[in-house]
Amino acid sequence: MVSQKQEVVKVSSATIRFAGDSGDGMQLTGMQFTDTAAMFGNDIATLPDFPAEIRAPVGTVAGVSGFQVNFADTDIFTPGDAVDALIAMNPAAFKANIDDVKSGGVVIVNEDEFNKVNLRKAGYEADYNPIEDEKYDQRFKLFKVPITRMTKEELADGALSAKDVLRCKNMWALGLIYYLYDRSLDVTINYLNEYFGKKKKLPDVASANVQALKAGFNFGETAEIFPVQYQIDKASIEPGTYRRVTGNEALAMGLVAASQLSGKQLIYCSYPITPASDILHYLAGTRHFGVKTFQAEDEIAAMCAAIGVSYAGQLGVTGTSGPGLALKAEAIGLAVIQELPVVICSVQRGGPSTGLPTKTEQSDLLQAMYGRNGDCPVVVVAPRSPSDCFDIGREAVRIAFELMTPVMILSDGYIANGAEPWKLPAVDSLKKIEVEHPTDPETFEPYDRDENLSRPWAAPGTPGLQHRVGGLEKQHITGNVCYVGENHQLMTDIRAGKIEKLAERIPELEVAGEASGDVLVLGWGGTYGAITTAVTRLQGEGKSVSCAHLRYLNPFPKNLGEVLKGYKHVLIPELNMGQLRQLVRAKYLVDARGLNKVQGQPFLIEEIEQAVNLMLEGDWGEAQYLEPHQSQVSVDGQSLEARLAGATA
């Protein structure tokens, strides 16, 4: 497989980014490389990056679609920082991504697309072509490959139209990368034949894509322009059956599992919204598990329908993202005062309003905690990785049934669209979710309480258990409408108290590292991978740093206060402007500092390392939080006034 003249270099990991126009098939290309690496036995982490505009102008930077995959022979937790190899299908893709490639990295460009028209669309100056600029040749291993022309020539005698032939160029590029990283074509060939050949009944399309894939691989093998071929060994992983899974897929599977474990029918009520829509798409294909999906006319209707499902004694779930969560707020309050077990899946994205609909953010935590009228608490949990979504889905359902209260799952775009290997659990290892419905009219009281302060869940139609529901305050025990002030105080205390009591039954917060020291890095949600990797590196340098990650945000684990007291400094990296930091400072009165980023992209490992080092060196200053670019420039950074002046200059 390897030319005798070619050097073979073994590396521990590699980060590859495929980038092109939104119609170039970069997401499919990236997923196929991911599947191949996973089947080979590598650990993987991915970062799909979609254009924010539905129909961005072709060839523009706004229309660039990217897919980054990090694969390794060891455990990895992020899709990588600097890019080892960039495949840029046009000038816009080159411009949008070239600064992320590490010095000495591989850059493969489709030189056929670097013409005057496309260069102008990408925003380059007239008579300037970046791939002819010596600075890029000096900084990177730049390979100019005529991908478009080679694809056309390879498929010239085939059955496809000229337009359809161009749609195969992503497979040609993928074949070339398979050669560069010594990977088999078999997984992708099987996919193409199954998907296009059998499922879509387009054998000519399948054949052409397979032919293009092989042509790209053969070009790499015979052209002798690549002096190095890279090899990455299998990772040492726990034996078992694995599959690649995205966060949205895992969350959907967790909900289905919870349905089966509880004996309750899952009815998912939703209004399509990026990046949560894939949960609806996945669940729509699980009718064989008794799952029903309902696409409502709007977010409010979806939330109310889910409440109706839970009132009827089944598993009501709804899904949304930030703007949709705002619309659901009033109905969530209805579920709180009715004390019904509804699960709300919020896949966070950049805001406010429509904001950055395809980009990740963690900016809905305060909305989840407080975004309803009245004192209206709900349980809030957050997965830390794509595969963790399976467990968090089951846990959310268990808590909702146990407490008779809404539970909100805060995922985010990074977790939802990202993928990693997931070891399939043994079915008999999944704990049953116990559900009881009262049947005795002699002892039934609709708002009586058990040891968890939960009221009974009476299924409609049970003889003698008729009771009132609605949005008006309920009388303690009887559930009748009641406007007495003392009763409202009691019911408010009970609704809050049953969530506070949950802290006694959830796992205590675990610390990775010493139980006391100089710096604790505290995170939640999708920051887990970057934080864990950064802290592990710093610990390897002998620095006094530990980390902890919150999966339960309301209530917090009961030992969080004690954990915080063990460290001189607390750093909270978040993809928002400091929402967990506000909650921690207010509840525990600690001088927690923030590293805050709202750029639509996850944290780089080095950004967290830099912030921790500033703390350790005593150079942080009085700033309550830093943004990543500030930690690289100076401690206090520019004042807000100075930055605003610069932005308007």
Side-chain angles (χ1 to χ4, degrees):
M1 186 179 292
V2 182
S3 169
Q4 291 183 351
K5 298 180 181 179
Q6 192 171 46
E7 180 185 1
V8 177
V9 175
K10 282 204 170 188
V11 293
S12 178
S13 67
T15 299
I16 300 174
R17 185 179 297 174
F18 300 92
D21 197 75
S22 58
D24 284 338
M26 294 296 96
Q27 302 304 318
L28 173 62
T29 306
M31 290 303 283
Q32 284 304 304
F33 191 94
T34 300
D35 287 348
T36 296
M39 289 295 290
F40 179 80
N42 298 126
D43 196 9
I44 56 170
T46 71
L47 177 62
D49 192 11
F50 308 96
E53 297 183 33
I54 296 175
R55 290 290 183 185
V58 175
T60 63
V61 173
V64 172
S65 176
F67 191 104
Q68 182 168 312
V69 55
N70 183 13
F71 64 113
D73 61 10
T74 58
D75 287 343
I76 54 175
F77 300 98
T78 77
D81 281 8
V83 174
D84 294 291
L86 169 67
I87 298 83
M89 300 296 283
N90 62 18
F94 182 90
K95 186 175 186 179
N97 295 282
I98 191 62
D99 289 339
D100 294 333
V101 182
K102 64 176 58 174
S103 181
V106 172
V107 178
I108 299 172
V109 298
N110 180 9
E111 67 173 341
D112 293 330
E113 301 301 318
F114 281 71
N115 54 49
K116 289 184 178 181
V117 173
N118 288 340
L119 288 166
R120 187 184 72 250
K121 288 180 180 179
Y124 285 110
E125 296 179 2
D127 300 323
Y128 176 75
N129 188 337
I131 64 174
E132 302 299 335
D133 192 328
E134 288 186 1
K135 70 177 183 181
Y136 292 116
D137 270 321
Q138 294 170 358
R139 181 178 172 188
F140 309 112
K141 299 181 180 75
L142 180 62
F143 301 99
K144 293 172 275 190
V145 182
I147 296 175
T148 300
R149 177 172 63 82
M150 299 291 285
T151 305
K152 287 180 179 179
E153 291 177 357
E154 181 64 30
L155 303 179
D157 299 328
L160 298 189
S161 66
K163 182 178 180 181
D164 288 338
V165 163
L166 290 178
R167 291 176 176 169
C168 299
K169 63 186 179 184
N170 63 324
M171 288 296 106
W172 197 101
L174 179 59
L176 179 58
I177 299 305
Y178 279 154
Y179 167 75
L180 190 62
Y181 284 93
D182 192 25
R183 286 293 178 265
S184 169
L185 309 181
D186 293 346
V187 173
T188 299
I189 290 174
N190 290 338
Y191 167 82
L192 295 171
N193 287 329
E194 286 292 325
Y195 182 76
F196 290 111
K198 295 181 179 179
K199 184 176 180 179
K200 294 294 184 180
K201 301 188 185 304
L202 298 170
D204 290 339
V205 173
S207 176
N209 277 283
V210 170
Q211 188 176 345
L213 181 76
K214 292 179 178 179
F217 186 93
N218 293 336
F219 176 85
E221 192 171 33
T222 60
E224 297 185 356
I225 65 172
F226 298 98
V228 174
Q229 187 180 36
Y230 302 94
Q231 291 183 345
I232 298 175
D233 290 334
K234 296 180 179 181
S236 177
I237 59 176
E238 183 182 352
T241 302
Y242 288 79
R243 61 159 290 182
R244 174 190 55 79
V245 69
T246 68
N248 277 344
E249 289 173 339
L251 182 53
M253 287 189 283
L255 294 171
V256 174
S259 170
Q260 297 295 303
L261 293 167
S262 64
K264 292 297 178 183
Q265 184 178 27
L266 168 59
I267 302 179
Y268 186 78
C269 311
S270 183
Y271 180 80
I273 184 169
T274 302
S277 298
D278 281 343
I279 302 173
L280 174 62
H281 301 161
Y282 188 93
L283 289 175
T286 57
R287 297 188 190 94
H288 52 294
F289 288 114
V291 176
K292 284 185 168 58
T293 52
F294 168 58
Q295 181 174 317
E297 65 268 27
D298 56 41
E299 295 281 7
I300 301 170
M303 184 66 220
C304 290
I307 293 173
V309 172
S310 294
Y311 170 70
Q314 302 302 325
L315 173 53
V317 184
T318 187
T320 189
S321 189
L325 186 60
L327 290 169
K328 292 181 187 294
E330 182 181 0
I332 294 173
L334 176 62
V336 169
I337 202 167
Q338 289 183 332
E339 299 188 52
L340 286 171
V342 185
V343 175
I344 304 112
C345 307
S346 179
V347 185
Q348 301 165 97
R349 71 190 205 187
S353 187
T354 311
L356 307 175
T358 62
K359 309 299 181 181
T360 195
E361 206 162 281
Q362 291 181 297
S363 54
D364 293 340
L365 176 55
L366 293 181
Q367 183 177 197
M369 294 287 289
Y370 304 122
R372 297 161 296 280
N373 65 298
D375 287 283
C376 189
V378 300
V379 175
V380 182
V381 295
R384 66 187 189 184
S385 67
S387 61
D388 189 40
C389 288
F390 178 79
D391 294 327
I392 215 75
R394 291 184 298 114
E395 178 71 348
V397 173
R398 182 191 67 79
I399 293 173
F401 287 167
E402 181 181 288
L403 291 191
M404 289 293 289
T405 192
V407 176
M408 193 174 299
I409 299 172
L410 285 184
S411 180
D412 57 58
Y414 168 62
I415 292 175
N417 296 320
E420 66 180 359
W422 173 52
K423 183 184 178 184
L424 273 62
V427 174
D428 56 8
S429 72
L430 302 179
K431 187 178 179 181
K432 290 284 187 182
I433 298 175
E434 303 295 337
V435 180
E436 292 185 5
H437 294 291
T439 57
D440 184 2
E442 296 298 323
T443 59
F444 173 70
E445 291 288 355
Y447 280 81
D448 197 5
R449 305 289 167 175
D450 63 13
E451 68 277 8
N452 297 325
L453 299 181
S454 303
R455 79 175 186 92
W457 190 8
T462 305
L465 301 193
Q466 295 90 341
H467 61 284
R468 183 187 296 271
V469 296
L472 295 173
E473 183 62 281
K474 310 296 185 296
Q475 186 181 46
H476 181 47
I477 305 296
T478 69
N480 295 327
V481 173
C482 182
Y483 298 109
V484 177
E486 290 79 4
N487 178 78
H488 179 52
Q489 179 76 62
L490 175 62
M491 296 297 279
T492 299
D493 291 343
I494 288 173
R495 289 189 290 264
K498 68 178 177 180
I499 292 178
E500 291 172 5
K501 281 172 65 68
L502 177 63
E504 299 297 323
R505 304 190 300 281
I506 61 176
E508 292 192 352
L509 184 64
E510 295 183 359
V511 175
E514 298 296 328
S516 61
D518 290 337
V519 176
L520 173 72
V521 185
L522 181 67
W524 68 280
T527 60
Y528 171 78
I531 289 174
T532 300
T533 306
V535 169
T536 300
R537 289 181 182 178
L538 292 166
Q539 290 172 342
E541 297 171 8
K543 296 180 178 179
S544 179
V545 185
S546 300
C547 64
H549 210 76
L550 293 166
R551 296 174 78 241
Y552 300 86
L553 295 158
N554 194 35
F556 287 131
K558 65 179 182 180
N559 67 326
L560 175 56
E562 289 302 313
V563 169
L564 295 171
K565 290 178 183 177
Y567 300 89
K568 297 177 184 177
H569 306 285
V570 176
L571 174 66
I572 303 181
E574 297 181 81
L575 298 180
N576 59 45
M577 294 307 290
Q579 297 186 19
L580 177 62
R581 172 169 50 86
Q582 291 183 40
L583 296 173
V584 168
R585 289 170 71 95
K587 185 174 180 66
Y588 300 103
L589 302 180
V590 298
D591 186 20
R593 304 296 182 95
L595 178 66
N596 302 112
K597 180 177 179 178
V598 284
Q599 300 172 22
Q601 297 293 322
F603 279 110
L604 301 177
I605 299 164
E606 65 177 21
E607 291 171 339
I608 296 173
E609 287 180 305
Q610 289 165 352
V612 171
N613 281 326
L614 284 175
M615 280 191 158
L616 290 170
E617 294 161 6
D619 292 333
W620 187 280
E622 296 302 316
Q624 194 174 112
Y625 74 93
L626 297 180
E627 297 170 18
H629 72 274
Q630 288 178 284
S631 66
Q632 296 174 35
V633 178
S634 65
V635 178
D636 295 319
Q638 291 179 305
S639 66
L640 177 61
E641 292 77 9
R643 281 190 283 147
L644 289 176
T648 56

